[in-house]
Amino acid sequence: MAAKPKSLAQRLSKRGPHTVLRGNLALAGQPGIVYTPAEGFGLPAVAFGHGWMTGLDKYSALFEHLASWGIVVAASSTERGPIPSHLGLAADLGTTLDICVGVRLGTGRISVHPDRLGLVGHGMGAGAAVLAASRRDVAAVAALYPAPTSPPASVLAARVHAPGLVLAAEKDLGSMGSDAVAVAQAWGGEMLMRSVHKATDDGMIEGRRLLAFLGVGGAQRNTQKVTRALLTGYLLYRLAGDKTYAPFADPEAELPGSEVLTEPDAIDRELGTQINQLLGR
């Protein structure tokens, strides 16, 4: 009997069965880090794009979590200044994927399958992941709480034909700092958009941030837990081909802590009406 989506989500919110190794991408010529299962051939892999002025250490638990479930995660540490190049980060994500395929990782008992590559990012990095996916073919893309980029990911998403997951924060949905609705509207391939309950866009960042004194939101453990489960299940299905986790790509499936947004156009219109009312139009 197949496990119910709720049980699957609970399973994936916890650490997986694999021992995790951590490595330095700089050894392959790209500043950054890589997390892998201790061994495995033909593994799925993702390149991860970080948020604005956010160090990779703020995602370490997420990276370890994905690797514990058999997914290689490589993250570039470039474009971390106050005025980053989004196209530069997108290019580095592509280079990072090439490294995953072209370099034998770990102790030599790890390899990545060239047809099991994905792009993932948070905030600014989510937009950069979309920009990268508009330039190359990948098996899946996950945009976690995407923020606006230049050029706009919400425009270039039309060129992305890979299946996509867009996560939106319930508390920031429709704000000027969120690009989730626009990216979902423009997506050129199969797209699933989920709103995470009581979440903010920065809630998935781990630990305390240097930007907290500017009023940037802090870590939210529940947001991190729900995000890990949703992302892990989606990648295991789309990249690893594990049909057990098909509900994570199913718009009809009910998963704890989130809901599917099936009509982003309607959301956009409703927000526009609310803004006009505030402006007295």
Side-chain angles (χ1 to χ4, degrees):
M1 181 177 179
K4 294 182 179 180
K6 183 177 180 180
S7 298
L8 292 174
Q10 291 175 340
R11 179 193 306 172
L12 292 179
S13 68
K14 302 175 183 178
R15 188 181 179 91
H18 295 276
T19 300
V20 175
L21 303 178
R22 183 182 185 276
N24 191 343
L25 276 182
L27 297 176
Q30 177 70 33
I33 54 177
V34 57
Y35 286 76
T36 74
E39 59 182 17
F41 297 105
L43 297 172
V46 297
F48 184 92
H50 59 80
W52 180 64
M53 292 189 69
T54 305
L56 298 183
D57 60 309
K58 301 302 181 182
Y59 303 102
S60 59
L62 173 65
F63 297 161
E64 290 181 8
H65 184 86
L66 291 172
S68 76
W69 283 98
I71 300 167
V72 173
V73 186
S76 169
S77 63
T78 59
E79 305 299 339
R80 289 182 52 194
I83 309 177
S85 168
H86 302 142
L87 283 176
L89 182 55
D92 289 336
L93 291 177
T95 299
T96 299
L97 282 183
D98 292 337
I99 291 173
C100 288
V101 175
V103 177
R104 184 57 62 89
L105 305 173
T107 59
R109 296 184 58 80
I110 304 166
S111 69
V112 169
H113 197 290
D115 295 330
R116 293 181 172 182
L117 301 178
L119 290 159
V120 181
H122 166 247
M124 173 191 81
V130 175
L131 298 181
S134 73
R135 296 179 164 191
R136 66 178 293 163
D137 292 331
V138 291
V141 183
L144 312 177
Y145 317 104
T149 58
S150 179
S154 55
V155 173
L156 292 180
R159 301 181 186 177
V160 180
H161 300 292
L165 172 68
V166 176
L167 294 188
E170 183 180 57
K171 291 186 176 181
D172 290 330
L173 188 61
S175 71
M176 292 184 64
S178 173
D179 211 23
V181 172
V183 168
Q185 288 174 329
W187 205 272
E190 183 180 341
M191 185 278 302
L192 176 66
M193 182 179 183
R194 284 187 175 273
S195 172
V196 177
H197 298 162
K198 300 181 180 180
T200 62
D201 288 339
D202 290 321
M204 66 168 286
I205 296 175
E206 301 155 12
R208 300 185 64 181
R209 297 187 69 189
L210 180 63
L211 297 174
F213 71 95
L214 294 176
V216 176
Q220 298 172 329
R221 289 192 176 184
N222 189 64
T223 298
Q224 295 167 10
K225 178 180 178 181
V226 172
T227 300
R228 290 172 195 166
L230 295 176
L231 177 61
T232 304
Y234 189 81
L235 296 178
L236 286 175
Y237 175 64
R238 290 297 188 189
L239 299 185
D242 191 335
K243 295 182 179 179
T244 302
Y245 301 103
F248 290 83
D250 183 356
E252 301 296 326
E254 296 184 5
L255 297 172
S258 71
E259 65 178 306
V260 173
L261 301 179
T262 57
E263 298 182 10
D265 289 318
I267 295 170
D268 208 27
R269 288 195 300 272
E270 181 180 348
L271 290 169
T273 299
Q274 293 173 357
I275 292 171
N276 287 334
Q277 289 174 345
L278 290 173
L279 295 175
R281 295 177 180 175

